[in-house]
Amino acid sequence: MTDSSHENVPSRQRTRFPGISSRAYEHPADRSALVALRKLSGFDTVFKALSGLLPERSLRLLFLSDSVRVSDAQFSHLNDMLRDACYILDLEKVPPMYVSQNPQPNAMCIGLDEPIIVVTTGLVELLDEEEMRAVVGHEVGHALSGHAVYRTILLFLTNLALKVAWIPLGNVAIMAIVTALREWFRKSELSADRAGLLVGQDLKASMRGLMKIAGGNHLHEMNVDAFLAQADEYEKGGDLRDSVLKILNVLPRTHPFTTVRAAELKKWSETRDYQRIMDGHYPRRDEDKDTSVTDSFRESASHYAETVRTSKDPLMKLVGDIAGGAGDLGGKLRDKFTGGGSGGPAKGGPEGSGRPQDPEEGPGTAGG
């Protein structure tokens, strides 16, 4: 049965990007986090050791034996999406793709020598065709960017950390690398979301997919504008205590919070960079060898500076004030951390009417 709402979807008239480099869609924070990860003490040693030890052949056999491989004969609609995504992003070798029985909606791109894409039944059942197309493009973006290798190591080390938790020093060393990998991977998800948009070329479908991942298959109960308003409230709400809680909440996660991903993707879709890619002006793979590492690092630094300057988060505002040489820094820090006024103490000394509430006088606000 044909769904009339999909008669003129972008899948029938999408732009292709021959020779596109992953640099075209990679988030600056993705590149800088990866640079920081590679500079982490001990990472190179661990990476080289694990590259030879990880059971990649076993991993492939596991999915081959206990999942359903996507093909013309099985999940053919996913196979069409996969080939289409590789065609649009000009990924010459189509990665094997498997559907794994798991009610939790999820997808991943793993592998050392060659990437493998895995999607769960929970995700396949949750998303419609165009939403799923964005997810497949997201995973193909991971493959094109070479993210699969680091994702595989993250999965292995996370599992290893649980097994050696009783070894104090060993666990500390592993968790340092796991934490750095998670920080990078959260940023890489922002890059892959952009790749998903380039493949699906339907922002509404990308937004719907993220909303469903957050709230389930109840689109009639959800609203994109209200969902994005949550991201704005999350960013600017509370005081420094909430900013710290946000950091603590995100540390164990491999993915950014869904509302944040939606806001970031919408913001990028409105930029000149995105429009230039759609117009055919983008970095190409054959130019990658001539790319300046210094320029990439400078771009990442510029991104972070702009993020600090424009952020509504209390902690980021404080960082901006410090960088700008704001006066009365001690009073500003005290006021922001305790939820008091934005200014310093009232005239007449610290016991004046402008004294902020003591942190112990009332409960803090939980961060989202």
Side-chain angles (χ1 to χ4, degrees), residues 351-364:
E351 299 301 322
S353 60
R355 184 182 69 85
Q357 182 187 51
D358 190 294
E360 295 183 358
E361 291 178 9

Side-chain angles (χ1 to χ4, degrees), residues 2 25 67 69 96 136 153 226 298:
T2 302
Y25 60 80
S67 300
R69 183 163 62 188
V136 173
I153 291 176
R298 187 181 296 116

Side-chain angles (χ1 to χ4, degrees), residues 108-121:
M108 60 182 174
C109 181
I110 55 176
L112 295 178
D113 295 329
E114 295 181 358
I116 302 173
I117 295 174
V118 182
V119 297
T120 65
T121 51

Side-chain angles (χ1 to χ4, degrees), residues 189-211:
E189 285 295 289
L190 302 178
S191 297
D193 283 343
R194 294 176 174 186
L197 180 58
L198 290 177
V199 167
Q201 297 173 27
D202 184 347
L203 181 64
K204 290 182 179 179
S206 294
M207 294 290 108
R208 290 199 311 267
L210 289 169
M211 282 199 303

Side-chain angles (χ1 to χ4, degrees), residues 335-349:
D335 290 341
K336 284 183 175 290
F337 195 84
T338 58
S342 59
K347 292 182 180 180

Side-chain angles (χ1 to χ4, degrees), residues 161 163-176:
K163 292 180 179 179
V164 300
W166 59 275
I167 308 176
L169 292 179
N171 190 46
V172 168
I174 291 173
M175 286 311 298

